[in-house]
Amino acid sequence: MLVLLPPSEGKASSGRGTALKLESLSLPGLTEARQAVLDELVELCAGDEDKAREVLGLSEGLRGEIAKNTELRSAGARPAGEIYTGVLYDALDLGSLDTAAKRRAGRALLVFSGLWGAVRVTDRIPSYRCSMGVRLPGLGALGAHWRAPMAAALPEAAGDGLVLDLRSSAYTGAWKPKGEVAGRTATVRVLHAPTRKVVSHFNKATKGRIVRSLLAAGAAPADPAELVEALRDLGYEVEVQAPARAGTAWALDVLVNEVH
């Protein structure tokens, strides 16, 4: 099982350990593309602060994020699972999982990123600010920058098992499962059961709890149909829309009665 996650806008501070080693990150096929984004981002943020703030879409109150980006090569690195914070990651609560579940998380979870392309939660990275929606002056739109290297690297990462795609729309454009991989991919919406409306903030929290439940239970669904069974066994109410044609993803709706 491969679980695709969005990053979080807010991030924990960088650690005091060794600095970033690009070559040590998972998916080595992305190294060249990572280096290109890193170089331009550091150069941008070391120059005109106002221009950097505009390019990165930062408010005046987030001006300090620009200085953080200038130190990406020297800042201490921490596991990505500790760097990413926010609603989904609070609900996932990787740190409180038992040892076996943490190992499963290290194998299964892949976090998409405007700067790194995608990293596993065990990859050591510094804290940064660069969303997938950014358009760097030299490289252009990051979503487009990542498409070719992702298309080469991600099918191998997906292997021959289930792909559970929980990314937000800003990150889906960087890689879209195709063909046979798409046929064993499932996307998830979270709906408020009484109204059948999408719940945005609670959508993230529920997705975090879903991933945590699967990891904690040691569930290993091999395809979307087995995922539906596993989620129902874990107490989730799931409605399914199977693909209308080959080479398209399954769509799952998880219904919640209490929005919290």
Side-chain angles (χ1 to χ4, degrees), residues 103-135:
R103 284 198 296 266
R104 288 190 283 271
R107 294 191 299 267
L109 306 187
L110 198 63
V111 184
F112 275 60
S113 161
L115 174 52
W116 315 116
V119 292
R120 298 197 183 276
V121 292
T122 50
D123 286 333
R124 299 183 70 86
I125 58 172
S127 185
Y128 68 96
R129 192 73 175 222
C130 183
S131 71
M132 190 66 80
V134 164
R135 179 182 292 273

Side-chain angles (χ1 to χ4, degrees), residues 1-8 24-30 34 80-81 84 88-89 92 94 102-114 116-125 128 132 146 149-159 162-168 171-172 174-177 181 211 215:
M1 177 174 66
L2 183 69
V3 182
L4 311 181
L5 297 175
S8 58
S24 72
L25 299 181
S26 301
L27 306 179
L30 302 180
R34 288 167 175 152
Y84 294 115
L88 187 153
Y89 292 91
L92 175 52
L94 284 169
K102 286 178 181 176
R103 284 198 296 266
R104 288 190 283 271
R107 294 191 299 267
L109 306 187
L110 198 63
V111 184
F112 275 60
S113 161
W116 315 116
V119 292
R120 298 197 183 276
V121 292
T122 50
D123 286 333
R124 299 183 70 86
I125 58 172
Y128 68 96
M132 190 66 80
W146 285 113
M150 288 284 199
L154 265 292
E156 181 179 353
L162 168 72
V163 177
L164 175 54
D165 190 351
L166 302 180
R167 295 173 295 167
S168 52
Y171 291 86
T172 57
W175 181 63
K176 294 182 179 179
V181 178
V211 176
L215 293 171

